[in-house]
């Protein structure tokens, strides 16, 4: 199996969609298990640890500076993550998961949607930004995407999240973009909106 340290928790409710949990910079495979359980009780949870280290902090791809990405690495790492999900689906008997990504994890999820659309059934992107300046033409065929941005996010300018929403919509995703009165950190509103959204698409 493609080599990612990860946690897997099997579903306890067959009707709940599997989730791919993708942590932010400095997080690990344990970080988002609680969030996953809150937004979709009973879902199978697949939670890999990012394989890139930035001063010891796990991430899903290299960056040159905050918000400035090594795009070659973004592409390579997104494909690597896609291969991991395919292997994990076979090993654990899962259907295509909905990604739940925060920050750097949301950015790799957005890259995965653009580069390997078949890997994900949909995505919840928490504080995401445009991962690739020149993405390939993706065909997202109505996949549902919830994009939750922070109005006062010091890392993701409003224009950038608006651009990501447009990029995904143009590729055929069914995008629901909401801007919350918060910064880069998650709030209770993120949890509530994500839970309601999963209930409406799953
Ligand atoms: C990134 O590097 O993906 C973004 O700057 C978000 C972050 O990880 O802080």
């Amino acid at each position: 199996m493609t080599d990612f340290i990860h946690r897997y928790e099997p579903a306890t409710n067959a009707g709940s969609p599997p989730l791919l949990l993708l942590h932010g910079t400095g997080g690990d495979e344990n970080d988002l298990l609680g969030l996953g359980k809150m937004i979709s009780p009973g879902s199978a949870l697949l939670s890999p640890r990012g394989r890139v280290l930035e001063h010891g902090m796990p991430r899903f791809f290299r960056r040159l500076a905050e918000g400035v990405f090594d795009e070659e690495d973004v592409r390579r790492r997104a494909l690597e993550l896609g291969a991991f999900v395919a292997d994990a689906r076979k090993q654990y008997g899962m259907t295509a998961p909905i990604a739940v990504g925060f920050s750097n994890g949301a950015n790799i999820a957005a890259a995965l949607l653009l580069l390997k659309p078949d890997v994900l059934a949909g995505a919840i992107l928490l504080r995401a930004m445009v991962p690739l300046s020149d993405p390939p033409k993706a065909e997202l065929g109505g996949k549902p995407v919830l994009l939750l941005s922070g109005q006062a996010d010091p890392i993701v300018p409003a224009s950038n999240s608006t651009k990501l929403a447009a990029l995904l919509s143009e590729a055929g995703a069914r995008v629901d973009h909401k801007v919350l009165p918060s910064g880069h950190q998650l709030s209770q509103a993120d949890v509530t909106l994500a839970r309601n959204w999963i209930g409406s698409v799953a």
Side-chain angles (χ1 to χ4, degrees):
M1 185 154 159
T2 315
D3 200 13
F4 273 82
I5 294 169
H6 67 279
R7 294 274 303 267
Y8 174 74
E9 297 209 359
T12 55
N13 174 8
S16 303
L19 303 183
L20 173 67
L21 303 173
L22 300 166
H23 63 78
T25 302
D28 67 22
E29 66 280 12
N30 300 304
D31 268 31
L32 299 186
L33 294 172
L35 178 68
K37 286 176 191 162
M38 277 192 277
I39 65 180
S40 187
S43 280
L45 303 175
L46 177 65
S47 187
R49 183 193 300 183
R51 300 183 60 191
V52 169
L53 286 181
E54 183 183 273
H55 308 299
M57 295 187 293
R59 289 175 49 82
F60 288 95
F61 58 82
R62 259 184 264 285
R63 64 178 164 185
L64 308 173
E66 195 166 89
V68 184
F69 303 152
D70 175 343
E71 294 201 13
E72 205 181 301
D73 198 58
V74 174
R75 288 172 189 267
R76 185 162 79 83
R77 301 287 177 180
L79 299 188
E80 190 177 81
L81 182 62
F84 164 73
V85 173
D87 286 352
R89 283 185 58 185
K90 278 190 219 128
Q91 170 158 345
Y92 299 124
M94 283 166 52
T95 56
I98 293 181
V100 179
F102 167 60
S103 190
N104 180 247
N107 297 340
I108 195 78
L112 204 48
L113 281 171
L114 294 166
L115 295 168
K116 279 271 168 198
D118 291 347
V119 172
L120 300 176
I124 298 177
L125 306 176
L126 305 166
R127 309 299 182 270
M129 56 195 294
V130 175
L132 294 165
S133 52
D134 188 18
K137 267 223 146 327
E139 188 34 81
L140 289 172
K143 278 187 210 293
V145 175
L146 176 65
L147 174 59
L148 297 181
S149 307
Q151 189 186 14
D153 190 330
I155 298 174
V156 186
S159 58
N160 191 300
S161 53
T162 306
K163 194 169 155 195
L164 177 60
L167 194 64
L168 294 169
S169 299
E170 279 155 25
R174 205 149 34 91
V175 180
D176 187 352
H177 184 198
K178 290 197 165 46
V179 181
L180 309 182
S182 57
H184 199 66
Q185 291 313 307
L186 298 181
S187 66
Q188 184 56 41
D190 289 276
V191 178
T192 307
L193 288 166
R195 189 174 51 219
N196 293 344
W197 180 87
I198 289 236
S200 73
V201 300

